[in-house]
Each structure stands twice: as C-alpha cells, then as structure tokens.
C-alpha cells in the first residue's frame, strides 16, 4: 500500500488523519472508528478546514469509508472504516476491501502535460528615463 500511487499522492494532513484513525483500530472495531474534526484538528495541530479536506481526500482515494454519519447536535462523530482492515459483521468477518487499489488519479494528456512548450515571458523592470541623469 505504501508504494501505491494512491498513498504517495496523499497530502501530509491526510496521512496524519489516516494514521490517527489507524491507531484507534483495536482489531474488532473497524467501522466504528471515531475521530471528530475538532479532535483531529487539536491533536494533530491542523486547521479544521485542513482536517475536513483530509477526510474527503482519504475517502476519494479509497483509504477510509463512511459507515454512519455523526450528528453535530448529539455531539457524535462519524463512524469510519479503514479499507485495509477486516470488519466484523453479525454474520462474520468481512475481508478488507482495499478500495485504494482502484484509485487511478488524474492523468495528463496533450500539451498540458508538458509545460515546456508554453511561452514564458520573463518579468523585466523597465526604468523610465525622464532625461535627467
């Protein structure tokens, strides 16, 4: 997983959030991992907006999945599932889904992929000569 394109494309904040969720996994609580944005921001020394983007990034790239939404008024955080760990269900243990394996990322095509062909004009300070030296 650590050598995958998905993992290597994660932001530092996303990696910190994923590691914090992983430390809360005890072998039988996958799908019930709790980490509020406020708590993550405080313990990881990140801004709340950064933490929110990290959760979105981790979901989009398949490292975590939302099992149950939390409720602000009930002061209850979301229930998260790590896709790299098995999950205990009433009918038995489910194997990890490893959704991150399906992430392909954005591919660049055409002239936008190689910026060397674009015209770059260097900035020049132009002195105005008003005739006095």
């Amino acid at each position: 997983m650590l050598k995958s394109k998905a993992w290597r494309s994660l932001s530092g904040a996303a990696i910190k959030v994923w590691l914090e969720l992983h430390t809360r996994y005890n072998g039988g609580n996958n799908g019930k991992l709790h980490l509020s944005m406020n708590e993550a921001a405080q313990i990881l020394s990140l801004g709340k907006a950064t933490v929110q983007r990290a959760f979105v990034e981790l979901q989009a790239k398949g490292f975590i999945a939302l099992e149950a939404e939390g409720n602000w008024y009930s002061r209850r955080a979301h229930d998260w599932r790590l896709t790299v760990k098995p999950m205990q269900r009433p009918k038995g243990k489910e194997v990890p889904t490893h959704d991150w394996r399906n992430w392909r990322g954005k591919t660049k095509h055409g002239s936008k992929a190689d910026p060397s062909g674009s015209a770059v004009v260097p900035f020049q300070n132009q002195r105005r000569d008003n005739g006095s030296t």
Side-chain angles (χ1 to χ4, degrees):
M1 177 184 82
L2 298 178
K3 291 186 177 184
S4 71
K5 280 186 175 184
W7 180 263
R8 291 184 175 185
S9 72
L10 287 175
S11 66
I15 292 171
K16 286 175 87 171
V17 169
W18 189 88
L19 289 171
E20 181 60 32
L21 280 170
H22 193 273
T23 62
R24 293 165 185 242
Y25 173 71
N26 65 15
N29 65 339
N30 201 14
K32 293 182 177 16
L33 298 170
H34 304 286
L35 178 62
S36 72
M37 289 194 204
N38 288 339
E39 184 183 6
Q42 183 180 4
I43 64 175
L44 300 174
S45 300
L46 299 170
K48 291 178 187 175
T50 302
V51 170
Q52 184 175 11
R53 284 191 301 271
F55 275 111
V56 169
E57 183 181 0
L58 288 167
Q59 278 187 282
K61 293 180 180 177
F63 289 98
I64 63 173
L66 181 63
E67 287 295 309
E69 285 192 22
N71 187 316
W72 174 257
Y73 298 104
S74 299
R75 310 290 294 163
R76 188 175 167 322
H78 293 323
D79 288 341
W80 296 102
R81 173 176 58 89
L82 298 172
T83 64
V84 297
K85 298 293 181 186
M87 188 154 155
Q88 191 65 41
R89 298 275 189 190
K91 294 184 177 183
K93 198 175 260 191
E94 286 184 3
V95 296
T97 58
H98 297 289
D99 298 337
W100 54 270
R101 290 180 179 164
N102 299 325
W103 185 80
R104 296 291 173 239
K106 295 180 181 178
T107 57
K108 297 179 181 177
H109 298 288
S111 62
K112 292 182 183 178
D114 183 16
S116 63
S118 62
V120 177
V121 179
F123 177 76
Q124 295 178 352
N125 270 337
Q126 295 186 3
R127 283 185 18 203
R128 291 188 181 178
D129 194 5
N130 60 3
S132 62
T133 51

